[in-house]
Amino acid sequence: MLMLNNYKVTQVKNTEIRLFQTANIVADLYKENIDDFVFTRMMVRSYGKQGNARILVLDSNKRVLIDNHHSYIDNVLDNEEVKKSLNGESASNLYTIKDKEILQLSVPIILNKEGNINVIGAVLISADMVSINNNLDNLKGDILKISTSALLVSLVLTVVATNNLTKPLRRLTLGVEKISSGDLGYRVEKKTNDEVGKLIETFNKMSNTLSKIEKNRKNFINNISHELKTPLTSIKVLIESLSIGNNDVETYKEYLEDIHGETERMEQLVNYLMKTIKLEDTILNLKKENLSTILEDIVKLIAPYANKNEVSINFNASNDIEVQCDKNKIKEVIFNIVDNSIKYKDDKKEDNYVSITLEKAENNAILTIEDNGIGIDEGKLEDIFKRGFRIFEGHVDKKIRIEGYGIGLAIVKNILDKHGWQVSAKGNPGLGSTFIIEIPLV
Ligand code: ADP
């Protein structure tokens, strides 16, 4: 509304200037053609038409000499503007007559004869403001139309934008509901690359990881149950056999030894389970150690087992590598990796080996444990360090089954992470596997 008021004030000012100009032109015209009254009257009529205004020329007695509408000729007009102009001043006023706004102004007709200044009359001019008010009304209408359309457009845009934003969010909410109701691995379709798209991508990754963890957990429980069931069944059968009939002491001894063996297997398994549960609580006892000495100890310890499985150990280590570590935990790490290399040897090959190499690099030491066993599929490499993950899950009940619970490498990763040592694996099915540990030097 303020804008419209400003617009009106400017328009009235402009009309006022235009009427003043016309009035002065008429005043000059009258002065210069005082003898040619007919010409002046004709010109006044023409100016009146052009400016859509009423123009009166009065003499010094306020008597109307010229009126472009004729009706006031010879009348005496005694209004404020005329009075002021006959005193030599210009004057203007805005009147409201019968709901109509009228701008009225007058200028003096001044004759300057040899220094004598005489006011010989006045030009009174008036114009109504209908056109300005019409313009104003049109403008109001236009502004209303423009703002209504703008409102509509912005409303439509808001609805479209909101819908575009909420649709994927609704799909995402459904996804979250699916996950919380147990549908792990549920995927939400990603249609855009914006922030919401990225959120959907992260959601899908999370869903995939959850489903893998769940699968590992099921496999793990499956394996453990199987492992516990086997010795339990043996023990049950052995006890049942002993309880039937009269057995001699030797038979009792023999059966009891078997039962002892089975309980030892079970004890080992339970220890393993407890270790898994305690994985996060591992506390390190860090000391400065010579890593090659630690490796030598392990090689000595594992050599008979490797021999028994017909796997040769190649050992090569620079002996000046000092590191900060928990000796027993690091022994456990290397033992687990080497044990796997022996366990996953390739029976089709004549010579099976595991090579343990320790060398100094620029800023660290590199420990490489390489075997020519069955190898690891590249796609499985990112999972082997996860708790409960095993590649040979399907073989649990088959003869070619290789014992294990998918815990060894999870322990390896946990201990190495706590040391701040990096571990990575490479594998080539049929060729072998390599585990690389990057160790910071002290
Ligand atoms: P597991 O008790 O099953 O051996 P690990 O956590 O030690 O559990 O290893 C996880 C999986 O990684 C194994 O089941 C096996 O499939 C694979 N793996 C580990 N080391 C080797 C290796 N040297 N050669 C081939 N496969 C390996």
Side-chain angles (χ1 to χ4, degrees), residues 43-271:
M43 289 307 287
V44 166
R45 212 180 300 156
S46 156
Y47 282 128
K49 225 180 214 167
Q50 268 176 37
N52 203 12
R54 177 110 185 233
I55 304 173
L56 307 173
V57 179
L58 298 98
D59 65 12
S60 53
N61 296 318
K62 302 170 191 166
R63 202 167 53 90
V64 178
L65 299 175
I66 300 172
D67 172 7
N68 65 334
H69 287 186
H70 298 295
S71 54
Y72 278 166
I73 290 195
D74 277 340
N75 284 8
V76 171
L77 286 185
D78 192 21
N79 65 29
E80 214 182 302
E81 289 80 26
V82 173
K83 269 191 222 160
K84 270 193 179 166
S85 291
L86 289 178
N87 277 332
E89 285 173 33
S90 299
S92 86
N93 263 316
L94 191 65
Y95 298 100
T96 307
I97 302 164
K98 289 186 200 151
D99 284 346
K100 257 190 189 178
E101 280 185 312
I102 295 189
L103 183 67
Q104 182 155 281
L105 62 87
S106 72
V107 296
I109 307 171
I110 300 169
L111 209 62
N112 187 350
K113 230 179 188 177
E114 293 154 13
N116 278 337
I117 293 171
N118 260 332
V119 178
I120 58 162
V123 176
L124 182 70
I125 193 161
S126 57
D128 66 39
M129 300 277 110
V130 175
S131 65
I132 292 179
N133 287 333
N134 279 351
N135 279 348
L136 214 61
D137 286 346
N138 287 345
L139 198 66
K140 268 186 203 165
D142 286 350
I143 288 178
L144 196 73
K145 272 184 214 154
I146 291 169
S147 45
T148 313
S149 330
L151 197 76
L152 268 175
V153 169
S154 66
L155 213 77
V156 169
L157 284 180
T158 312
V159 169
V160 171
T162 314
N163 208 31
N164 275 351
L165 192 76
T166 53
K167 235 186 196 167
L169 285 181
R170 278 204 298 272
R171 282 189 284 125
L172 203 59
T173 310
L174 177 77
V176 174
E177 278 165 9
K178 289 266 184 199
I179 297 270
S180 53
S181 64
D183 188 353
L184 304 180
Y186 181 87
R187 287 187 70 79
V188 176
E189 199 188 338
K190 180 189 146 191
K191 288 183 176 162
T192 52
N193 273 329
D194 55 6
E195 291 305 311
V196 180
K198 279 183 204 150
L199 192 64
I200 291 179
E201 203 176 299
T202 314
F203 170 86
N204 285 340
K205 266 191 203 154
M206 179 199 74
S207 177
N208 190 31
T209 309
L210 282 177
S211 127
K212 274 186 180 173
I213 291 174
E214 177 60 7
K215 195 174 155 226
N216 287 348
R217 192 185 64 86
K218 278 186 186 155
N219 286 338
F220 183 58
I221 292 172
N222 192 25
N223 287 349
I224 297 288
S225 320
H226 185 89
E227 288 300 312
L228 282 172
K229 212 175 152 213
T230 318
L232 272 177
T233 316
S234 311
I235 292 170
K236 198 175 148 203
V237 171
L238 287 167
I239 293 174
E240 274 169 5
S241 318
L242 275 185
S243 54
I244 303 168
N246 291 327
N247 301 298
D248 54 36
V249 179
E250 280 312 304
T251 318
Y252 272 108
K253 264 192 178 168
E254 198 185 309
Y255 276 39
L256 281 175
E257 258 168 39
D258 288 347
I259 290 173
H260 183 247
E262 293 301 323
T263 47
E264 260 189 348
R265 254 181 83 184
M266 283 172 66
E267 191 187 11
Q268 216 180 11
L269 185 60
V270 172
N271 283 343

Side-chain angles (χ1 to χ4, degrees), residues 340 343-344 371 375-376 384 389-391 404-406 408-409 433:
N340 276 346
K343 211 161 66 169
Y344 299 105
D371 64 58
I376 305 169
I384 56 172
F389 178 84
R390 301 205 72 216
I391 295 176
Y405 315 108
L409 288 184
S433 314

